[in-house]
Amino acid sequence: MASPKKQLQGLVAATITPMTEHGEINFSVIGQYVDYLVEEQGVKNIFVNGTTGEGLSLSVSERRQVAEEWVTRGRNKLDQVVIHVGALSLKESQELARHAAEIGADGIAVIAPFFLKPWNKDVLINFLKEVAAAAPALPFYYYHIPALTGVKIRAEELLDGIQDKIPTFQGLKFSDTDLLDFGQCVDQNRQRQFAFLFGVDEQLLSALVMGATGAVGSTYNYLGKKTNQMLEAFERKDFSSALNHQFCIQRFINFVLKLGFGVSQTKAIMTLVSGIPMGPPRPPLQKASREFIDDAKAKLKSLGFLSSTDLKDGNLESYS
Ligand SMILES: CC(=O)N[C@H](C=O)[C@@H](O)[C@H](O)[C@H](O)CO
Ligand SMILES: CC(=O)C(=O)O
């Protein structure tokens, strides 16, 4: 069993993998990035090499280096560093799990393999179990993201009896809008000290009502402060303020979703708000358009997420 650790709570930023204009990983800005999250956004947990981090577009060697850099730079600054180690190859996934343990990460997360897919709960559990066993001292999180993996096995079903199979199981990152499934995960596991981490940032308040203990998301990179205000309002049972904060966040996310929003756009927005150059995404993804950036910038400004002194356009010069 994993050593009883402090439960993963509050906001977890799904980190972006910064890249150079030539498509190589830009390790040099990760130190600054850690400081930015902690000092400017009040976010002290990270989720590395996930969807936002283009984890599945990196080589195994790159994933190891990225994980190591975040753990090193985050030491004594971050509370927890969770590494996503999911891969299509069980061997690769196990290698990454072992590596996460070696470098002193605080946990590992795994998505369902999405090419040759598990067709039922037991088959999926078996795969996850083999990965978890490669890092027997690390808390294990299942990353449920059916829209991207195509694996629609309900999380509620998966969690039923999971600790018997995976003794290090510690929680769920739930990136889906099915609040019945999410609520039942919480309801049926109340006796257990699991972390229930919600992954749809624009609906977090509803998930808090349903029992979420934290959240992992891309927007906490740059809307962490605002989202923390929502969490605080919820804590003190000031639901009308909490709702106002959620609506404000929704106005931004709704706006960008309509323009077309994904990892590329997240990289551009983070560059704009933090001033730290995130660079382009890796193919098949393509850089966000100049038009997207102009529109997003105007929206961020009008919602008060970007003060005019924050504008660090220099880093966006390569967008055209
Ligand atoms: C599919 C995806 O990347 N989801 C992210 C995390 O799970 C979220 O943080 C979204 O980016 C966010 O909720 C906006 O839709
Ligand atoms: C959003 C998220 O959790 C991810 O990028 O994996």
Side-chain angles (χ1 to χ4, degrees):
M1 182 94 84
S3 54
K5 248 194 160 286
K6 200 167 38 126
Q7 210 202 45
L8 181 52
Q9 274 180 336
L11 295 187
V12 183
T15 55
I16 293 163
T17 301
M19 290 182 191
T20 67
E21 290 304 319
H22 302 291
E24 296 301 322
I25 295 168
N26 182 3
F27 294 99
S28 73
V29 299
I30 291 181
Q32 264 178 278
Y33 190 162
V34 169
D35 292 339
Y36 177 81
L37 289 176
V38 174
E39 289 160 22
E40 306 294 328
Q41 299 296 340
V43 172
K44 299 194 75 177
N45 303 292
I46 57 172
F47 186 86
V48 175
N49 288 337
T51 309
T52 305
E54 300 170 87
L56 278 304
S57 305
L58 307 179
S59 69
V60 170
S61 148
E62 286 177 321
R63 290 175 71 169
R64 293 168 61 116
Q65 293 173 65
V66 169
E68 208 159 332
E69 192 66 18
W70 280 107
V71 167
T72 306
R73 298 293 167 184
R75 201 162 285 139
N76 302 321
K77 291 182 175 174
L78 297 170
D79 287 341
Q80 296 209 28
V81 178
V82 175
I83 312 291
H84 172 250
V85 302
L88 293 182
S89 154
L90 173 62
K91 290 279 179 201
E92 288 182 2
S93 207
Q94 288 172 322
E95 176 187 336
L96 291 167
R98 269 192 301 274
H99 176 258
E102 276 162 29
I103 62 175
D106 300 288
I108 53 171
V110 178
I111 52 170
F114 52 88
F115 187 66
L116 297 177
K117 297 181 180 51
W119 56 92
N120 66 31
K121 170 199 160 170
D122 292 333
V123 172
L124 175 53
I125 291 264
N126 250 339
F127 178 90
L128 300 176
K129 176 179 136 189
E130 301 248 357
V131 180
L138 277 191
F140 180 92
Y141 300 89
Y142 172 57
Y143 181 0
H144 181 64
I145 184 159
L148 287 185
T149 60
V151 175
K152 315 252 186 238
I153 299 163
R154 285 167 63 81
E156 172 228 331
E157 208 190 318
L158 191 83
L159 259 55
D160 183 24
I162 196 167
Q163 259 184 329
D164 302 338
K165 297 277 175 49
I166 305 177
T168 52
F169 184 82
Q170 200 111 133
L172 171 71
K173 175 199 182 311
F174 189 93
S175 287
D176 188 40
T177 53
D178 183 346
L179 286 168
L180 171 60
D181 189 15
F182 184 70
Q184 283 307 290
C185 287
V186 177
D187 186 31
Q188 293 169 21
N189 294 283
R190 284 168 182 273
Q191 278 24 286
R192 303 174 184 89
Q193 299 290 304
F194 294 161
F196 297 102
L197 308 166
F198 196 63
V200 185
D201 312 359
E202 54 276 38
Q203 300 181 353
L204 176 55
L205 185 56
S206 343
L208 290 175
V209 173
M210 230 24 106
T213 58
V216 187
S218 67
T219 65
Y220 309 136
N221 283 292
Y222 53 91
L223 299 182
K225 199 168 155 190
K226 183 72 177 169
T227 312
N228 272 320
Q229 289 168 357
M230 182 179 89
L231 295 184
E232 285 153 22
F234 184 79
E235 263 315 285
R236 58 171 197 269
K237 301 192 165 47
D238 179 355
F239 302 123
S240 92
S241 298
L243 187 56
N244 282 334
H245 290 303
Q246 181 72 92
F247 281 159
C248 183
I249 291 162
Q250 282 195 344
R251 279 178 220 131
F252 179 70
I253 298 180
N254 192 43
F255 181 81
V256 290
L257 281 174
K258 284 181 187 161
L259 297 176
F261 179 68
V263 174
S264 313
Q265 289 70 26
T266 293
K267 285 187 126 164
I269 294 168
M270 183 60 173
T271 304
L272 197 60
V273 180
S274 70
I276 305 169
M278 296 296 146
R282 179 165 287 178
L285 299 184
Q286 289 194 306
K287 249 189 227 178
S289 67
R290 183 75 240 182
E291 196 188 357
F292 172 87
I293 292 165
D294 291 342
D295 290 352
K297 189 202 285 179
K299 196 69 182 175
L300 284 163
K301 256 180 155 174
S302 77
L303 292 169
F305 292 141
L306 189 67
S307 64
S308 37
T309 51
D310 279 343
L311 294 176
K312 285 146 185 146
D313 250 353
N315 288 322
L316 287 161
E317 254 149 31
S318 61
Y319 287 88
S320 50

